[in-house]
Amino acid sequence: MRDSGGQGGHGGHGPLDRGLPRTRRRDVLQRHQLLQIRGRSVTWLVPLTVLVAITFADFHTTGEFRIVSWCVFVSAIASALCGVWTTALFAVLALAVYVASGAVWPTGYQEDPADFVLVLVGGALSVLASSVRVRGELRMLHMMDIAETTRRTVLRPLPPGWGGLDHAAVYLAADADARVGGDFYDIQPGPHGTRVLLGDVQGKGLGAVEAAAALLGTFREAAYHEADLATVAGRLETRMRRHRLHTVALGRDDGDRFATAVLMGFPVGDRGVAEVVGFGHEPPLVVGAAGVRPLPCGDGLPLGLADLAGAGGTPSALRVKIAAGETLLLVTDGVTEARDSAGVFYPLAEEVAAAVRRDARAAEPARLVALVRDGTLRHCGGRLADDTTIFAVRRTGPAAAQGASGAGSASGTVPDRGDRGPVRGRSQV
């Protein structure tokens, strides 16, 4: 994004930017400047350099060449890089240089009325263009703020060690500008243990985001209050159906929407066991010093489709053994369906197993998520066909310690890939 010029061009842009205070608009635009020195805008140097170059060239050429009329380009360049008032300043400077050239330069050239009008009108149009451009940038920044707020509403930050779990997550949006899609995940500690949910809503767009938000809201309440994980699973199934009925009643074509998911529970007092319910999702991988193995999670139908299996359609919870130090890796189909140029799927289990054999520390959640993220992007050449979530959890301490305090849940933060951190991809670890 281009600079606003740091001048007064941030005010009076109409209703589009009234929601942003003047200082907020200036700070936001300041962060998106092309040229900066010690955090301050220097984009004005570009039109200034052009103006100086035109002046120098005009002084060393004959008047017949009329190079000074090129001053019209100065304000045009400023309109593409600077704020409104900075552009207006360069429009005035360009006109002044043009007028002065006829009286000062020893070339004998006198300004032509047609060229004078060209520089004058060009400057006025450049100021108008700069105003339109700045308004468009403010509109885009406002939409980015909305997208960021939506992202944090659906996927809120997870505190370190939340629910007695060491965790790490990466979210890679297939749409670089969307920042959030139908993938969702969360950790909810409670008096009955810590529950983990990861899922993928069928479809894209705001409809998928709404469904993900509805499921997460139900999960955060049911996972805290319900003692039986199967009851939590049933609540999720009911919530998906209710959400579909509501959207259909609004006249939207969401009657066949569903979601695949994996629901896990870490019971209080039984550190060697985990409970898992699968809703048609890719089974989690158990990663540890002993190698990599898929975690059995049953063959339940996706959320919203349990009625296809009859009255007992909601799957039951399976109890599986998890050794100390083993990490559970949960991914969405953006990983498992990533293909290279030859159409070969990403070999997730094989690559993770090879990394663990080389270095047992690769099973740590943060390292594991970074490994899978980099491997997925490398395999598909950075061209993601679907939203991609990589989530890893490992039990570290008493799960009930935080849950019993009654604290609410929060889900993982997924900032944009442009914000590089220890492990980021449109994501954060």
Side-chain angles (χ1 to χ4, degrees), residues 145-227:
D145 282 345
I146 293 175
E148 181 69 11
T149 301
T150 302
R151 180 190 63 76
R152 286 189 168 271
T153 300
V154 177
L155 299 173
R156 294 176 292 181
L158 282 169
W162 188 238
L165 298 178
D166 183 11
H167 58 82
V170 161
Y171 177 80
L172 303 169
D175 183 348
D177 298 322
R179 293 175 175 257
V180 66
D183 288 5
F184 57 93
Y185 60 92
D186 198 4
I187 297 175
Q188 175 59 65
H192 309 292
T194 297
R195 273 71 185 265
V196 174
L197 177 68
L198 176 137
D200 181 6
V201 176
Q202 174 264 336
K204 300 181 182 298
L206 291 178
V209 176
E210 288 178 352
L215 290 172
L216 282 173
T218 296
F219 168 75
R220 289 162 185 159
E221 290 302 312
Y224 181 87
H225 292 288
E226 301 294 345

Side-chain angles (χ1 to χ4, degrees), residues 22-330:
R22 182 183 180 87
T23 54
R24 165 66 173 154
R25 295 197 302 269
R26 183 182 298 113
D27 292 342
V28 170
L29 288 169
Q30 183 85 4
R31 293 198 301 268
H32 291 82
Q33 294 169 350
L34 284 173
L35 300 175
Q36 297 184 49
I37 294 180
R38 295 183 178 180
R40 299 185 64 86
S41 168
V42 292
T43 53
W44 53 267
L45 285 175
V46 177
L48 180 62
T49 302
V50 173
L51 181 60
V52 172
I54 290 174
T55 304
F56 179 82
D58 183 67
F59 183 80
H60 290 85
T61 56
T62 64
E64 296 177 357
F65 195 54
R66 295 168 43 159
I67 197 172
V68 72
S69 63
W70 292 9
C71 284
V72 70
F73 294 127
V74 173
S75 57
I77 293 172
S79 70
L81 299 175
C82 304
V84 178
W85 289 106
T86 305
T87 302
L89 175 61
F90 276 107
V92 173
L93 284 177
L95 188 63
V97 168
Y98 178 82
V99 173
S101 65
V104 176
W105 294 169
T107 60
Y109 170 69
Q110 299 296 320
E111 64 271 12
D112 182 75
D115 288 344
F116 176 83
V117 172
L118 175 66
V119 176
L120 176 63
V121 174
L125 292 177
S126 296
V127 173
L128 177 61
S130 177
S131 176
V132 172
R133 194 208 85 237
V134 170
R135 289 187 65 182
E137 290 183 353
L138 288 171
R139 180 194 290 272
M140 183 183 66
L141 291 171
H142 183 57
M143 296 305 296
M144 290 174 62
D145 282 345
I146 293 175
E148 181 69 11
T149 301
T150 302
R151 180 190 63 76
R152 286 189 168 271
T153 300
V154 177
L155 299 173
R156 294 176 292 181
L158 282 169
W162 188 238
L165 298 178
D166 183 11
H167 58 82
V170 161
Y171 177 80
L172 303 169
D175 183 348
D177 298 322
R179 293 175 175 257
V180 66
D183 288 5
F184 57 93
Y185 60 92
D186 198 4
I187 297 175
Q188 175 59 65
H192 309 292
T194 297
R195 273 71 185 265
V196 174
L197 177 68
L198 176 137
D200 181 6
V201 176
Q202 174 264 336
K204 300 181 182 298
L206 291 178
V209 176
E210 288 178 352
L215 290 172
L216 282 173
T218 296
F219 168 75
R220 289 162 185 159
E221 290 302 312
Y224 181 87
H225 292 288
E226 301 294 345
D228 188 2
L229 191 67
T231 303
V232 179
R235 292 276 298 275
L236 290 171
E237 171 65 28
T238 301
R239 185 66 183 95
M240 189 67 201
R241 294 189 197 178
R242 290 174 54 208
H243 176 75
R244 292 192 317 193
L245 289 173
H246 177 259
T247 55
V248 170
L250 292 174
R252 290 164 44 182
D253 188 19
D254 283 0
D256 58 350
R257 192 180 296 279
F258 60 88
T260 63
V262 175
L263 173 65
M264 300 193 65
F266 297 88
V268 175
D270 197 346
R271 297 183 53 80
V273 171
E275 298 176 310
V276 58
V277 180
F279 298 97
H281 198 83
E282 187 76 15
L285 293 180
V286 181
V287 183
V292 178
R293 70 181 189 277
L295 187 72
C297 60
D299 53 357
L301 294 174
L303 291 168
L305 302 181
D307 54 345
L308 299 179
T314 303
S316 58
L318 301 178
R319 290 176 63 87
V320 294
K321 292 187 178 297
I322 303 295
E326 288 187 321
T327 299
L328 295 168
L329 174 64
L330 302 92

